[in-house]
Amino acid sequence: MSAFALPEKANLARHDRKNNKKTIWAWCMFDWANQSYNMVITSTIFPAYYVAVTANKATGDTVSFFGHRYVNTVLSNYILGLSYLIVVVLLPILTSIADYKGNKRLYLQFFTWLGALACAGLFFFKPDSGLELPMICFGLACIGYCGGFVFYNSYLPQIATVDQQDSVSAKGFIYGYVGSLIMQVLCFVVVLSPKTFGITSDDLPARISFLMVFVWWLGFSIIPFRLLPKGEPNPGSHKYNVLTGGFKELARVFKKVRTMPLLKRFLSSFFFYSVGVQTIMLVAANFAAKELLMSEEMLITIILIVQVVGVIGAWLTSILSTKYGNVKTLVGLVALWTLLCLSLYFIASVPQFIVAAVIVGAGMGGVQSISRSTYSKYLPPNITDTASFFSFYDVTEKSSIVVGLFCFGFVEALTHEMRDSALALDAFFLIGLILMISLMFAEKKMKNLPTAPIAE
């Protein structure tokens, strides 16, 4: 029997387990927990701290890393790019195991521990330290964050019916925004008022914030660890070994994707606009600290505003997708990002950056949330190997980040201008926009076909 042709009773049993409020809450709490990493380590305190510690006009801001010299921000982009590349290679193997054994919750736990402990390791990154160990911890934290997310995402079709996936996905992002906002405020207090806590060292407040991320991330992850289902094993025959099975699973998924015209078009567009979206979010703090000489305090304040706007943006996007459909909403969002990326080339002051940051906040959560739910809607109903399909989604996204970060770093290394890198990214947005418009017209033509899932 095909994996997609489950008995009627099994279908009903699956449906009954979906839309459980407690399970959905636990799923959202994972976003609440791990977005502390995304806020503090990739968006605010760590980038500002890293640029401040490694800045050196006499050497052109170059640093030594295992005997080689790099521009400081180029090095951090390369480390992130390499981390995402490792994730791309590892996840097919791990999701293959998770599908076969139905134990994706175990991998959710493993990557969470890896990421959280790596954040704790950043506490030992002092101004006089070598960069080797801190950059390794920086990379491992990224691997832990990304690795956990692929298994987290794969739960969506398992816990929510198709008609609820947009709202559940948006709810997860909103939880993440609110959780990271609270975490950032707590770190903000430590960084801005260190004497209140008897701290006299200039570097200790930032390093304490890295430790706070460890506690927050791991502490709140206990909720999904306890309440999310273990996972469902794939009832199909398991003919592949553990090392090659994941890649063969991806090849199998890729063959299926090629037979689904709408999903194929969506993933093509998703790859290109994700190159831009994800890279901008990862390098924005470095851009502000280096190009605009923005202080750590100002940067944190702006990101807090962005997070608040992001919650509103994710909520509005959910409403717009309900009214206009996912694809039309995505066309508008990608068009907005295309213009925003172009504007980065001309930003020369803090007020201009603040305006751009607010727009980023409005579109950031929205485009991520609706992309995830749109992909989920295009999948065949009642599939059991959700981890493999979402592994393909995450490999697509993470591959786009690898391309974006290495492209951004390479252009900066050549021109010594981050603005030129932003201009290069805009080409990816434009291609993604064209492909999304193409999907919109293709969906209209296929809307009446019963075999073509429509992302409405």
Side-chain angles (χ1 to χ4, degrees):
M1 181 179 290
S2 167
F4 300 132
L6 295 173
E8 184 178 353
K9 289 184 178 179
N11 283 340
L12 292 174
R14 285 178 183 278
H15 190 278
D16 289 342
R17 291 199 299 269
K18 295 181 179 181
N19 301 335
N20 180 280
K21 291 183 179 180
K22 190 174 183 180
T23 302
I24 290 173
W25 172 72
W27 184 78
C28 292
M29 286 304 293
F30 186 79
D31 226 332
W32 171 285
N34 73 358
Q35 286 303 315
S36 59
Y37 156 84
N38 206 23
M39 170 63 84
V40 176
I41 306 301
T42 66
S43 299
T44 55
I45 297 178
F46 181 81
Y49 179 76
Y50 172 77
V51 169
V53 167
T54 58
N56 189 336
K57 290 186 178 180
T59 62
D61 292 333
T62 60
V63 294
S64 176
F65 184 71
F66 285 110
H68 298 277
R69 298 202 69 82
Y70 303 88
V71 175
N72 54 0
T73 48
V74 171
L75 174 63
S76 62
N77 287 336
Y78 283 170
I79 292 293
L80 276 180
L82 179 61
S83 301
Y84 279 105
L85 184 60
I86 291 172
V87 170
V88 168
V89 174
L90 282 181
L91 285 183
I93 300 172
L94 298 178
T95 52
S96 173
I97 300 172
D99 262 345
Y100 290 174
K101 297 185 177 181
N103 60 351
K104 56 186 170 187
R105 188 175 63 189
L106 178 65
Y107 292 98
L108 199 70
Q109 295 170 342
F110 168 77
F111 281 107
T112 298
W113 273 98
L114 175 66
L117 287 173
C119 288
L122 290 174
F123 173 77
F124 302 100
F125 179 21
K126 299 180 180 179
D128 57 351
S129 302
L131 289 179
E132 287 76 12
L133 182 59
M135 287 293 98
I136 289 173
C137 287
F138 181 54
L140 289 176
C142 175
I143 292 172
Y145 172 77
C146 296
F149 238 105
V150 69
F151 296 100
Y152 165 76
N153 283 339
S154 71
Y155 271 105
L156 182 57
Q158 185 179 338
I159 66 172
T161 53
V162 171
D163 63 306
Q164 293 296 314
Q165 286 173 12
D166 276 347
S167 61
V168 171
S169 181
K171 187 176 182 180
F173 275 102
I174 289 171
Y175 267 65
Y177 278 125
V178 175
S180 63
L181 187 63
I182 296 173
M183 179 75 256
Q184 186 63 85
V185 169
L186 295 175
C187 292
F188 195 53
V189 172
V190 175
V191 170
L192 292 186
S193 304
K195 292 183 180 179
T196 304
F197 305 95
I199 301 173
T200 56
S201 172
D202 291 337
D203 61 277
L204 187 56
R207 295 192 294 116
I208 288 177
S209 69
F210 307 150
L211 206 57
M212 291 169 66
V213 171
F214 159 74
V215 175
W216 182 280
W217 191 354
L218 199 58
F220 282 107
S221 291
I222 293 174
I223 296 172
F225 291 168
R226 292 179 63 88
L227 297 180
L228 283 179
K230 178 183 176 183
E232 297 176 347
N234 188 341
S237 59
H238 302 155
K239 300 178 181 179
Y240 307 137
N241 66 53
V242 69
L243 294 178
T244 63
F247 296 100
K248 290 181 179 179
E249 283 290 300
L250 283 183
R252 181 183 64 82
V253 172
F254 178 67
K255 288 181 180 178
K256 289 184 178 180
V257 168
R258 293 180 64 185
T259 66
M260 305 173 190
L262 299 181
L263 182 59
K264 181 172 64 174
R265 288 173 183 266
F266 168 74
L267 283 174
S268 298
S269 174
F270 174 71
F271 173 82
F272 282 100
Y273 72 71
S274 288
V275 170
V277 171
Q278 299 295 334
T279 304
I280 284 180
M281 291 193 296
L282 289 170
V283 304
N286 281 341
F287 179 89
K290 188 173 182 179
E291 293 289 326
L292 304 177
L293 303 178
M294 191 175 294
S295 68
E296 188 175 276
E297 293 80 5
M298 176 63 75
L299 183 60
I300 293 174
T301 302
I302 292 173
I303 297 299
L304 287 176
I305 296 172
V306 168
Q307 291 300 103
V308 173
V309 175
V311 174
I312 300 172
W315 173 68
L316 287 175
T317 299
S318 178
I319 294 175
L320 289 172
S321 65
T322 301
K323 184 174 182 179
Y324 299 106
N326 290 35
V327 176
K328 286 183 179 178
T329 304
L330 275 170
V331 168
L333 286 171
V334 177
L336 179 67
W337 276 97
T338 304
L339 294 174
L340 175 66
C341 187
L342 179 63
S343 72
L344 291 178
Y345 182 81
F346 302 99
I347 288 177
S349 67
V350 172
Q352 291 174 343
F353 182 82
I354 293 174
V355 172
V358 170
I359 299 174
V360 166
M364 180 171 56
V367 75
Q368 290 179 303
S369 173
I370 196 174
S371 295
R372 179 170 64 185
S373 62
T374 301
Y375 179 77
S376 182
K377 286 183 175 184
Y378 278 136
L379 296 181
N382 296 315
I383 59 173
T384 56
D385 52 346
T386 57
S388 288
F389 270 89
F390 270 92
S391 174
F392 189 83
Y393 175 82
D394 277 274
V395 165
T396 302
E397 182 183 50
K398 301 306 181 290
S399 297
S400 74
I401 297 173
V402 173
V403 172
L405 286 170
F406 278 106
C407 175
F408 198 94
F410 180 71
V411 173
E412 185 188 357
L414 286 179
T415 66
H416 295 278
E417 286 289 343
M418 297 181 82
R419 299 175 192 279
D420 294 335
S421 298
L423 201 58
L425 283 183
D426 203 43
F428 291 97
F429 274 119
L430 188 58
I431 295 172
L433 177 60
I434 293 171
L435 291 172
M436 186 57 65
I437 293 173
S438 171
L439 171 63
M440 181 174 66
F441 286 110
E443 190 175 73
K444 286 182 179 179
K445 291 181 180 179
M446 300 184 67
K447 192 171 184 178
N448 296 322
L449 294 180
T451 56
I454 303 298
E456 290 185 338

